[in-house]
Amino acid sequence: DLPGPGTASFTRQQRPMGLGHAVWCARELIGNEPFALLLPDVLVQNKPGCLAQMIDAYQAAGEGTNIIAVEEVPLERVHQYGVVGVGKRNGKSFAITEMVEKPPREKAPSNLIITGRYILQPEIFALLETQQGGAGGEIQITDAMIRLAKTQPFHGIIFEGRSFDCGSKIGFLAANVAY
């Protein structure tokens, strides 16, 4: 049974096997619907919120697309993140031409990084089920998204707002000061 509207459900990842595996663990709660994935250690400050901006981009792009929130960083920092390639632009939204996980600066397709906010199609679950371990031997969501991009469109949205990486001490402190 899927949860009813307005209810919350939780699942646990029994072993730390990567973000892709954690998402796969939630497949029965999500069912066969597009879903939003928000990493809890990334906080985005803005009104309207980042997810609201993504939903607008999803509606503009049309059903069956995948949306990734992205932001600019200095080229010296791209090696720390997943980076996207930029295709045809439509305002703050654009077609994603490629995704590269933690590329060296000279091989980065842009300076737009994946922020930890996604709207994904349910077909990702079948790919995650067969996804081989990637970086660190973990099931990486980026690897499955690269495979899904061969059959479905991906769009990036450069969101308005400020993000905080609360997984780091300085990011957590900066978020507390900002709020």
Side-chain angles (χ1 to χ4, degrees), residues 16 18 49 51 61 68 70 74 83 118 120 125 128 148 174-175 177:
L51 183 57
I68 301 175
V70 299
V83 181
Y118 315 80
L120 299 172
F125 295 121
L128 288 169
L148 186 59
V177 169

Side-chain angles (χ1 to χ4, degrees), residues 27-164:
R27 69 196 179 284
E28 292 179 8
L29 292 174
I30 295 166
N32 196 29
E33 299 286 333
F35 63 97
L37 171 60
L38 288 75
L39 301 188
D41 60 345
V42 176
L43 185 63
V44 177
Q45 184 182 43
N46 197 67
K47 288 194 190 245
C50 183
L51 183 57
Q53 295 173 58
M54 293 174 69
I55 290 169
D56 289 344
Y58 178 81
Q59 290 171 337
E63 290 189 25
T65 193
N66 299 273
I67 304 289
I68 301 175
V70 299
E71 63 184 303
E72 289 186 61
V73 297
L75 280 172
E76 300 79 45
R77 293 181 36 214
V78 294
H79 69 280
Q80 300 172 341
Y81 305 98
V83 181
V84 299
V86 179
K88 184 179 177 187
R89 289 186 177 262
N90 183 12
K92 291 195 176 272
S93 181
F94 60 90
I96 291 177
T97 59
E98 63 181 308
M99 291 174 261
V100 182
E101 189 64 37
K102 299 180 180 176
R105 175 181 176 175
E106 59 278 358
K107 293 189 178 183
S110 74
N111 69 331
L112 295 174
I113 64 161
I114 298 172
T115 301
R117 300 284 186 273
Y118 315 80
I119 296 176
L120 299 172
Q121 297 299 315
E123 288 81 6
I124 194 100
F125 295 121
L127 298 174
L128 288 169
E129 190 166 358
T130 61
Q131 185 66 49
Q132 298 296 313
E138 296 182 341
I139 307 298
Q140 302 293 334
I141 193 76
T142 304
D143 293 339
M145 290 189 311
I146 290 168
R147 290 174 59 202
L148 186 59
K150 293 176 183 174
T151 60
Q152 291 183 352
F154 273 77
H155 289 89
I157 178 169
I158 302 171
F159 62 91
E160 293 179 18
R162 181 176 174 198
S163 72
F164 300 93

Side-chain angles (χ1 to χ4, degrees), residues 1-11 26-31 33:
D1 291 335
L2 294 177
T7 61
S9 295
F10 299 88
T11 188
R27 69 196 179 284
E28 292 179 8
L29 292 174
I30 295 166
E33 299 286 333

